Amino acid sequence: MASLLSLLSLFLLLPITTANTTDLHFYMHDTLSGRNPTAIRSVVGPVALPSTSINFGDLYMIDDPLTRGPSPSSELLGRAQGFYSVASLSDQSLLMAVNLVLDSGEYNGSTLTVLGRDRILDPVRELPVVGGTGAFRMKRGYVLLKTNWFNQTTGDAVVEMDVHVFDDADLDDGDDEDGPAASPEQSHNSNGAIGRNFKWDLKIISIYICALIFYTWGIDQIFS
């Protein structure tokens, strides 16, 4: 009984540690056709890729709207501004460098910067978020891209984006001691909203559990 009471009292004194994450979800409308395109090919690459309408070295500047839903008339949440270029001779892979500029809600005026490889024919692609401004200053994370709609004739597309950013101090140190990372397909989660959630810091909890075990063992030794 004494050991049980000691265990409970110690547990109640332990602080709860959480890792702060921010999850964003929206749709990027990449329009090359019509009278008001949001993506323009500013450089034509010299080498045509077989069986495609693109060239190695093509560069597109974009100012794409980000909306809450897949419809163009859905609520506007911000814009994706930057460029993507065809960076592979063997497949349809892009180098994507884009600022996600948010102009509504609690993140109005904040930005996130995405820089990475977008292999556009994959069902889900993972790109790193390398930084941000405003509410996302000193934060990093990743974005999962999924093509929601694509017109093979015009090249217009709607891309679903799931963005997950973390406080810099909460990022994993990359040693994989907690197990292998999930694939983009396993990590994909469409929650349809902008929000914030919290997760337990498993490393801190592990330390607490070890401390509880040793503390309880010591009490038992005293009263035995």
Side-chain angles (χ1 to χ4, degrees):
M1 177 64 70
S3 61
L4 178 60
L5 291 175
S6 300
L7 180 64
L8 291 175
S9 63
L10 180 60
F11 179 79
L12 293 175
L13 291 174
L14 293 175
I16 295 177
T17 302
T18 57
N20 190 7
T21 70
T22 303
D23 303 318
L24 311 176
H25 180 257
F26 31 69
Y27 293 83
M28 182 180 78
H29 300 260
D30 193 56
T31 304
L32 290 86
S33 64
R35 300 179 60 182
N36 298 298
T38 61
I40 297 175
R41 184 162 66 173
S42 56
V43 175
V44 178
V47 180
L49 296 184
S51 304
T52 71
S53 60
I54 61 177
N55 305 320
F56 175 68
D58 282 352
L59 186 140
Y60 294 81
M61 298 301 299
I62 68 170
D63 186 7
D64 292 342
L66 301 173
T67 62
R68 184 175 297 276
S71 171
S73 60
S74 182
E75 178 187 356
L76 183 67
L77 301 177
R79 305 195 74 85
Q81 299 173 335
F83 70 87
Y84 56 80
S85 61
V86 181
S88 175
L89 284 167
S90 58
D91 59 17
Q92 298 185 47
S93 294
L94 309 178
L95 167 64
M96 191 172 186
V98 173
N99 288 318
L100 304 178
V101 183
L102 304 180
D103 54 16
S104 67
E106 61 179 307
Y107 303 120
N108 183 19
S110 299
T111 69
L112 287 166
T113 299
V114 177
L115 176 64
R117 179 175 182 255
D118 181 7
R119 196 167 184 265
I120 58 177
L121 297 183
D122 288 351
V124 181
R125 293 88 70 189
E126 180 178 336
L127 280 71
V129 174
V130 298
T133 64
F136 305 117
R137 183 183 302 149
M138 300 298 293
K139 292 195 176 184
R140 293 181 289 162
Y142 64 96
V143 56
L144 300 177
L145 305 181
K146 182 179 181 181
T147 302
N148 177 266
W149 175 82
F150 176 69
N151 187 312
Q152 292 185 349
T153 302
T154 63
D156 296 348
V158 177
V159 178
E160 184 179 5
M161 308 184 78
D162 274 312
V163 185
H164 308 276
V165 293
F166 312 87
D167 288 341
D168 193 60
D170 296 326
L171 294 176
D172 188 20
D173 56 13
D175 56 8
D176 289 334
E177 63 184 9
D178 294 324
S183 67
E185 290 82 359
Q186 293 170 326
S187 301
H188 184 58
N189 176 27
S190 300
N191 55 27
I194 288 181
R196 175 171 294 172
N197 59 47
F198 297 91
K199 64 180 182 181
W200 288 96
D201 188 328
L202 297 180
K203 293 181 180 179
I204 298 298
I205 292 179
S206 298
I207 295 174
Y208 287 162
I209 292 175
C210 291
L212 287 171
I213 292 173
F214 282 108
Y215 180 81
T216 305
W217 176 83
I219 295 296
D220 286 339
Q221 294 299 311
I222 293 175
F223 287 94
S224 60

